[in-house]
Amino acid sequence: MNKSYIWSLPTRAFHWLFVVGILIAFLTDDDHLLNYHAIVGYALLILLTFRVLWGFFGPKYSKFKDFPTNEIKEYSSNALKKESKYIGHNPAASYVMITMLVCTFLIILTGVLTYGIQEGKGILGFLNETFFKGMKSMDNIHEFFANFFIFLIVLHLAGIVVDKFLHKEVETLKSIFTGYKNSKEDKSIKLNIFQKLFAGFMFILLIAFLVFNLLNPKNVLVASINKPIDYKVQNELFVDECASCHTLYPSFFVA
């Protein structure tokens, strides 16, 4: 068996950054953490953009045209055989991979819409002032795609487990960390200078985006269209006359 370099460093980096991003997105799915949830969503959009472009300009096995989706019938009838002819993605994994990318985009899109319509925040915050304001269905759609993505994750993990038992000599699971798979012939890939520069640019863009949001936590991506109200300043007479004896509460606190 030969050691073939199948998954390049940018491909593996995307995979693990994507895993971390999805995990943080689920952990921040809380009303008190929505700003962080939104930032993670935008970061995932950068990763998604990289992977889609990588699917056209990346190395062999990472390109969409190398996904053997047209061989799904043959694969289904021979899936339990000990020997696999697929060194990259197999047909089933290809479909799951493509579906995950599409689902991720839909999650981000519906998330941005929900954030703007219901919270009045982010680049679509202006929708909170239109007839969209009372719309609740977008949040349900966003949640549907998020739950469907969990189902895709389960399929992905199940595929890895099955491959581990049926084709353990290939070392698919190990290749996610090392980039190398075992094959009868050396089928290693090599990045050209354009691919290296593109991957480096996208990585720098991601880091710059995260640093920007760290230094500017109230930027346009999470800013609210509703300006904070200082009741003590805007209701000076009420404060002088009433608040000396009564606790001052915003009017919307009153049932």
Side-chain angles (χ1 to χ4, degrees):
M1 297 290 282
N2 293 284
K3 286 282 187 182
S4 297
Y5 188 57
I6 301 300
W7 306 126
S8 63
L9 178 59
T11 302
R12 300 189 326 268
F14 160 81
H15 178 275
W16 290 114
L17 287 171
F18 194 74
V19 169
V20 172
I22 291 295
L23 179 60
I24 295 176
F26 277 105
L27 292 176
T28 55
D29 186 16
D30 182 90
D31 289 343
H32 301 294
L33 300 173
L34 279 183
N35 282 15
Y36 298 104
H37 187 72
I39 293 303
V40 173
Y42 285 114
L44 285 170
L45 181 59
I46 294 175
L47 289 172
L48 179 64
T49 301
F50 163 77
R51 187 59 187 91
V52 171
L53 294 176
W54 199 242
F56 292 102
F57 307 115
K60 187 175 177 59
Y61 307 119
S62 292
K63 289 182 178 179
F64 297 132
K65 71 176 185 179
D66 292 315
F67 286 16
T69 52
N70 60 330
E71 300 177 25
I72 188 65
K73 289 184 178 180
E74 178 187 349
Y75 174 78
S76 299
S77 59
N78 300 293
L80 297 180
K81 288 186 176 181
K82 287 292 184 180
E83 187 174 349
S84 174
K85 69 176 185 178
Y86 303 104
I87 190 65
H89 292 292
N90 62 48
S94 299
Y95 275 106
V96 172
M97 176 71 174
I98 293 172
T99 306
M100 290 181 83
L101 294 179
V102 173
C103 188
T104 299
F105 173 74
L106 293 174
I107 291 172
I108 295 171
L109 176 62
T110 54
V112 173
L113 286 168
T114 301
Y115 198 51
I117 292 171
Q118 296 185 198
E119 302 296 328
K121 293 183 177 182
I123 56 177
L124 298 182
F126 63 90
L127 294 178
N128 183 255
E129 295 183 327
T130 67
F131 64 90
F132 290 105
K133 185 174 182 178
M135 184 184 295
K136 300 295 181 182
S137 59
M138 191 57 64
D139 185 37
N140 295 331
I141 297 174
H142 179 66
E143 186 174 350
F144 167 79
F145 285 121
N147 291 331
F148 182 65
F149 193 85
I150 295 176
F151 169 71
L152 294 175
I153 292 174
V154 172
L155 285 182
H156 177 59
L157 295 177
I160 293 175
V161 171
V162 170
D163 194 79
K164 174 68 176 176
F165 285 100
L166 293 181
H167 313 121
K168 59 182 179 181
E169 73 283 351
V170 179
E171 297 185 340
T172 298
L173 179 59
K174 189 176 180 180
S175 72
I176 301 173
F177 299 93
T178 66
Y180 288 91
K181 281 188 176 184
N182 293 327
S183 60
K184 292 182 178 180
E185 301 176 7
D186 187 1
K187 298 183 178 180
S188 296
I189 56 97
K190 189 175 182 180
L191 298 183
N192 58 42
I193 185 63
F194 170 77
Q195 291 164 341
K196 291 178 181 178
L197 289 174
F198 172 69
F201 169 77
M202 293 302 293
F203 179 73
I204 292 173
L205 178 63
L206 176 64
I207 297 301
F209 173 80
L210 295 175
V211 171
F212 170 77
N213 282 278
L214 182 64
L215 298 177
N216 303 277
K218 296 183 179 181
N219 62 77
V220 66
L221 297 178
V222 294
S224 174
I225 62 170
N226 301 310
K227 296 181 180 180
I229 300 175
D230 188 337
Y231 286 90
K232 291 184 178 180
V233 173
Q234 297 187 17
N235 296 275
E236 186 175 351
L237 180 61
F238 172 76
V239 173
D240 292 338
E241 298 296 329
C242 303
S244 58
C245 298
H246 303 279
T247 303
L248 179 63
Y249 290 107
S251 59
F252 55 77
F253 279 7
V254 179

